[in-house]
Amino acid sequence: MPVPSPGHEATPRPAGRVHVVGSGPVGLFLTALLQSIDGQAVRLYERRPEFTRTRMVSLAPYLVADSIESYEADPIDGENVEAIFDPTELETRLAYRRTVAPDLMSLLRDWTLGFVPLNTVERSLSTLIDARRTGTVERIPGAVSAEQAIAMLEPGDTLVDCTGSRSILRDALVPGSDEFGRDRNTVRVQLEYALVVTFLYGRRYACNEYCKYYKNLENSEYKFIPAVHRTFHDGSITHVTGIIGISQDLFEAMPPAFDGAWLRDHFPSVAQSMDRFIDKIRAETHGELVGDLEIVRIPLYLYRARNVTSRAWRASGADHPLATAPVFLLGDSAIGSPYFQSISLGFECAFFLAGHIGNRNLSVEEMLDRYEAFMYRQWLRVYMRTRMIKHNKDLLESVDDTFGLLAKLHVY
């Protein structure tokens, strides 16, 4: 990692304890990275006693890239990365990645091949941490509040908030009298409301943009848009994840999760778009659904923390624990993005943070400054990518409506 710049302390920073609050995939991944650092003690705070989330996730190939070319290979994201990040920075990050323990990188390589259940990721990381038997990770069960997290900090400690979209510390990072006020430190960009539909299909099946268009020809109001990338289990079973855009009124009239039968009974016009798409898959490939449809309704929006560290508290000079202890937001605590990007983004940022925590030649101030700058660039990256995906999705849904399509085009 880079050496400290002039003006920062020259003596190595002590290896204080790192408190990782939140044992989701990103918290566990960061813990596994920190566990490989000599002399690094970690306390992992786990709210859930077991891993029960079965939804399928797909991790981005850039997590295991071994060159700048492969890191920028994504057709949507590649140009953004090239524009935002300096090649020297990318090379430095890739060099750190090559030092990551083989057992952890082996898991990542498997997960980037296709879809994997979320609880498989969590259980595998948890098992890896225990199997290493380093004696440096202390696991503490139970929920932790913002007040408790701040109170447990001792001199030399570092706190990393991995508690997700409802982060316990995000809005506490802005100095002020009401330090736990809602949305003091959060910027949100509303995109749309959607149903996320997942199912298993008993044949090999792949879908590109042509497929999405032709299979939606009869869907005038609602369109089922599946993700492009998928994997085949046992050589024939395909996992399919897709979204259907809905209005806010429909969103508010639906429960958080339900199955296909419930959707057909209560909102048949929405269900028809999904069923027509699936029927055309059956006609082409002569397969059947395996099990039932799983549907959740979610608001698709981007958000970020204006401050992803306790740097503002340190600059305030206030007599407060956050003014002395380095605090970092990681994963959905810092940036949340739809279209199945969040976990990959969280892992990418965990690489960066773990490398800086492990670099004892960096001062606390330099760590905070670099992380703030890095996370802002990641925000630009995910914002540009998400806007492009949403725009392309809107264009696809308007292909047969000439005037609707022209209204969504912005040419020069």
Side-chain angles (χ1 to χ4, degrees):
M1 300 301 291
V3 297
S5 58
H8 291 288
E9 61 191 42
T11 57
R13 176 172 41 84
R17 179 187 291 112
V18 178
H19 301 268
V20 179
V21 183
S23 63
V26 176
L28 288 164
F29 185 70
L30 177 66
T31 299
L33 290 169
L34 296 175
Q35 190 180 22
S36 299
I37 301 173
D38 290 340
Q40 183 61 69
V42 181
R43 277 186 178 173
L44 175 62
Y45 298 81
E46 305 173 288
R47 179 174 59 85
R48 295 188 304 271
E50 56 186 12
F51 305 113
T52 59
R53 296 181 292 179
T54 58
R55 69 180 177 89
M56 304 291 279
V57 297
S58 179
L59 298 187
Y62 64 69
L63 291 172
V64 294
D66 57 5
S67 67
I68 291 180
E69 290 73 23
S70 58
Y71 190 89
E72 297 176 348
D74 187 282
I76 294 178
D77 205 28
E79 290 185 355
N80 298 341
V81 170
E82 187 175 12
I84 293 171
F85 297 103
D86 184 88
T88 301
E89 178 189 351
L90 288 177
E91 286 287 8
T92 301
R93 284 160 49 195
L94 291 173
Y96 166 74
R97 202 164 305 188
R98 297 183 191 105
T99 70
V100 172
D103 55 359
L104 185 56
M105 287 304 296
S106 177
L107 290 177
L108 269 185
R109 291 190 181 95
D110 287 343
W111 296 334
T112 57
L113 295 177
F115 281 93
V116 60
L118 178 56
N119 60 358
T120 296
V121 174
E122 294 171 323
R123 288 171 184 163
S124 299
L125 289 170
S126 181
T127 298
L128 180 146
I129 291 167
D130 290 342
R132 286 173 168 177
R133 299 185 182 277
T134 58
T136 57
V137 176
E138 180 183 2
R139 307 179 73 145
I140 300 176
V144 176
S145 67
E147 295 85 350
Q148 290 171 329
I150 293 171
M152 67 192 179
L153 289 171
E154 298 178 359
D157 285 358
T158 297
L159 175 59
V160 185
D161 179 355
C162 300
T163 55
S165 60
R166 298 179 181 178
S167 164
I168 63 171
L169 286 173
R170 184 191 307 133
D171 292 319
L173 293 182
V174 177
S177 57
D178 182 18
E179 64 190 57
F180 301 113
R182 180 175 173 79
D183 287 350
R184 289 165 47 86
N185 188 34
T186 308
V187 179
R188 285 186 172 85
V189 180
Q190 179 69 48
L191 296 172
E192 61 180 320
Y193 295 91
L195 301 181
V196 177
V197 183
T198 61
F199 59 88
L200 295 178
Y201 182 67
R203 282 287 188 275
R204 285 180 175 264
Y205 162 71
C207 189
N208 57 22
E209 272 60 39
Y210 295 101
C211 162
K212 295 174 189 180
Y213 168 71
Y214 285 111
K215 287 183 173 57
N216 275 298
L217 280 177
E218 298 172 22
N219 296 331
S220 58
E221 185 176 4
Y222 302 102
K223 296 184 186 294
F224 178 76
I225 309 294
V228 174
H229 301 293
R230 62 203 68 254
T231 190
F232 307 112
H233 300 278
D234 299 325
S236 61
I237 302 298
T238 306
H239 176 270
V240 181
T241 296
I243 62 175
I244 304 172
I246 59 174
S247 68
Q248 183 176 355
D249 289 341
L250 282 184
F251 174 85
E252 293 173 350
M254 295 177 176
F258 45 91
D259 58 18
W262 187 94
L263 185 64
R264 295 182 189 99
D265 288 343
H266 294 83
F267 298 96
S269 60
V270 180
Q272 282 176 359
S273 67
M274 170 188 70
D275 289 335
R276 286 190 184 116
F277 200 103
I278 295 172
D279 286 343
K280 290 183 178 182
I281 295 174
R282 286 189 178 116
E284 286 182 0
T285 59
H286 310 293
E288 293 295 334
L289 297 185
V290 179
D292 201 356
L293 300 170
E294 295 182 3
I295 306 172
V296 296
R297 59 113 168 102
I298 59 174
L300 295 181
Y301 59 86
L302 277 165
Y303 66 87
R304 73 176 180 96
R306 291 184 179 91
N307 299 276
V308 293
T309 72
S310 54
R311 184 174 65 171
W313 274 105
R314 295 177 75 89
S316 72
D319 182 16
H320 191 281
L322 293 179
T324 56
V327 178
F328 301 88
L329 303 181
L330 183 63
D332 285 351
S333 291
I335 300 174
S337 58
Y339 308 128
F340 322 110
Q341 304 171 88
S342 289
I343 295 177
S344 297
L345 181 64
F347 281 16
E348 178 72 1
C349 297
F351 277 132
F352 186 91
L353 182 56
H356 279 62
I357 290 175
N359 185 354
R360 306 295 181 212
N361 291 322
L362 292 177
S363 68
V364 170
E365 287 75 17
E366 193 164 11
M367 285 175 57
L368 297 175
D369 289 347
R370 289 186 178 193
Y371 191 70
E372 288 280 1
F374 170 78
M375 292 298 283
Y376 184 70
R377 291 196 295 276
Q378 290 294 351
W379 162 252
L380 293 178
R381 171 187 186 177
V382 76
Y383 180 85
M384 294 162 67
R385 175 184 173 85
T386 302
R387 279 298 191 185
M388 178 61 74
I389 292 173
K390 175 65 167 64
H391 184 61
N392 289 347
K393 178 176 172 291
D394 290 344
L395 294 180
L396 178 67
E397 293 177 354
S398 302
V399 168
D400 293 315
D401 177 5
T402 301
F403 292 106
L405 179 63
L406 291 173
K408 295 175 181 176
L409 292 176
H410 305 284
V411 182
Y412 191 59

